[in-house]
Amino acid sequence: MSASSTTATAVVATAFGGPEVLSVVTTDVPAPGPGEVTVDVRAIGTNPVDYKLFSGSMGADPSTLPRPVGMELAGVVSAVGEGAGDLSIGDLGVGDEVIVSGISGAYASAVTVPVAAVVRKPAAASFEEAAGVMLVGGTAVHLLTATSVAAGDTVLVHGVAGSVGLVAAQLAVREGATVVGTAAPHRHEALRAFGIVPVAYGEGLADRVRAAAPQGVDVALDTVGTDEAVDVSLELVADRDRIATIAAFGRAAEAGIKLLGNGPGADPGEDVRDGARPLLAAALGAGELRVLVARTFPLAEAAAALSFVAEGHAGGKVVLLP
Ligand SMILES: NC(=O)c1ccc[n+]([C@@H]2O[C@H](COP(=O)([O-])OP(=O)(O)OC[C@H]3O[C@@H](n4cnc5c(N)ncnc54)[C@H](OP(=O)(O)O)[C@@H]3O)[C@@H](O)[C@H]2O)c1
């Protein structure tokens, strides 16, 4: 089935800077070409990288303005290009519920994307949860894979109440690992319900982790990037190949630990992350993985949503609703 191009509401960055540079605009949504689908967006997952990319801290080439924002969403297929039936997910049809990830320009009410960016949304998952699972989930799988987390390991997760940390912890618990995680004290009770042993971050952290894990710590996963997280990881984990960070870009090389993601000296792990998508969708659908949605905002209030995310204590995914 084919369709003609339409328009959508989108949020773009018109300059480099803080969330105030975001503008709501009307954009063209091209008709899907071969191997593409158009998706009517129901929910958009926000991530810290969304604002970092237009902050100027990761490059400020003016020729890239206005910049599309956002990498992931969930929605309903509204048009299908020729040959868009990718064998790995079966033929896609109008009305199918899908998750789209790894794209540029997810802050929109409709998008046309290649089917390689699409997986089916499990019926049991809400659009809000589904919109927020892939970026953090792929990162979490990369963290566990890079450090070979297995049954019987004791894993320290720095920032376990964060979106990446909580998915990494759930997957590690599912593998049969013991998870000790750092979080603000008011989150501890909720974290225990996930089978996580919570400890407060801050002065004295190494001693609190030793008390919580007298058997010792085999693996440390850092999603925070503070000196404290790196130093405590180095102090407690003997094998540096089993310490990985997604945030300590300034310290990883000197500390001899694994740096994952996009940036100088980091392992992007695209195959691992992309390959995890079907597994993450299945786990979400089966209720084996939970995505906590902390707050939703209308798409037009993306600037307020990203200001909230940038405070660093959202307590779950922040989701935009077109
Ligand atoms: N390299 C990559 O591939 C990659 C991929 C995804 C994300 N990231 C980065 O990883 C970081 C986390 O992302 P996210 O999506 O999980 O963010 P998030 O959902 O906003 O979570 C951030 C968490 O950090 C915790 N935190 C804040 N200050 C802390 C401190 N001093 N010590 C310990 N924990 C602290 C907060 O815990 P409390 O609420 O308990 O205070 C919060 O839960 C961001 O910097 C993001 O850009 C990197």
Side-chain angles (χ1 to χ4, degrees):
M1 188 184 305
S2 63
S4 52
S5 80
T6 54
T7 59
T9 301
V11 170
V12 299
T14 54
F16 290 99
E20 70 282 355
V21 304
L22 295 180
S23 284
V24 180
V25 297
T26 300
T27 54
D28 282 334
V29 181
E36 293 181 333
V37 292
T38 299
V39 176
D40 186 15
V41 179
R42 299 295 169 83
I44 300 152
T46 71
N47 290 281
V49 71
D50 296 348
Y51 66 78
K52 290 179 184 179
L53 281 169
F54 64 78
S55 69
S57 68
M58 299 174 76
D61 178 356
S63 72
T64 63
L65 297 173
R67 290 181 67 96
V69 184
M71 294 184 171
E72 59 182 350
L73 58 87
V76 179
V77 174
S78 61
V80 178
E82 273 178 42
D86 179 276
L87 288 177
S88 65
I89 53 175
D91 284 347
L92 283 173
V94 170
D96 288 354
E97 296 182 351
V98 293
I99 304 174
V100 177
S101 59
I103 63 163
S104 174
Y107 286 18
S109 60
V111 291
T112 295
V113 295
V115 286
V118 177
V119 297
R120 289 185 185 281
K121 180 183 88 59
S126 69
F127 284 105
E128 287 87 349
E129 294 166 314
V133 71
M134 288 302 167
L135 192 144
V136 297
T139 307
V141 169
H142 194 195
L143 280 164
L144 266 61
T145 306
T147 52
S148 308
V149 170
D153 281 335
T154 297
V155 180
L156 171 62
V157 179
H158 296 281
V160 79
S163 302
V164 177
L166 190 56
V167 175
Q170 291 178 76
L171 297 176
V173 167
R174 204 174 68 149
E175 282 295 317
T178 297
V179 175
V180 177
T182 70
H186 69 279
R187 303 204 189 281
H188 288 191
E189 195 179 329
L191 291 167
R192 283 191 196 96
F194 286 91
I196 296 162
V197 182
V199 293
Y201 50 81
E203 201 177 331
L205 174 60
D207 287 340
R208 283 192 295 282
V209 176
R210 280 194 191 93
Q215 70 277 24
V217 178
D218 303 295
V219 173
L221 308 177
D222 168 35
T223 74
V224 180
T226 53
D227 284 341
E228 174 184 81
V230 174
D231 291 338
V232 168
S233 300
L234 295 171
E235 188 176 333
L236 298 182
V237 178
D239 181 353
R240 293 197 175 186
D241 277 347
R242 304 200 78 192
I243 304 174
T245 181
I246 58 167
F249 278 79
R251 292 271 324 263
E254 152 262 319
I257 63 177
K258 291 184 172 170
L259 178 62
L260 313 181
N262 287 305
D267 170 12
E270 277 166 13
D271 290 350
V272 175
R273 294 178 187 220
D274 292 351
R277 290 172 179 173
L279 171 157
L280 291 165
L284 188 67
E288 294 168 5
L289 176 65
R290 289 176 58 204
V291 172
L292 297 187
V293 177
R295 202 163 153 188
T296 61
F297 289 78
L299 172 59
E301 293 174 23
L306 286 185
S307 296
F308 181 57
V309 171
E311 289 170 15
H313 303 278
K317 294 303 298 181
V318 176
V319 173
L320 300 173
L321 303 176

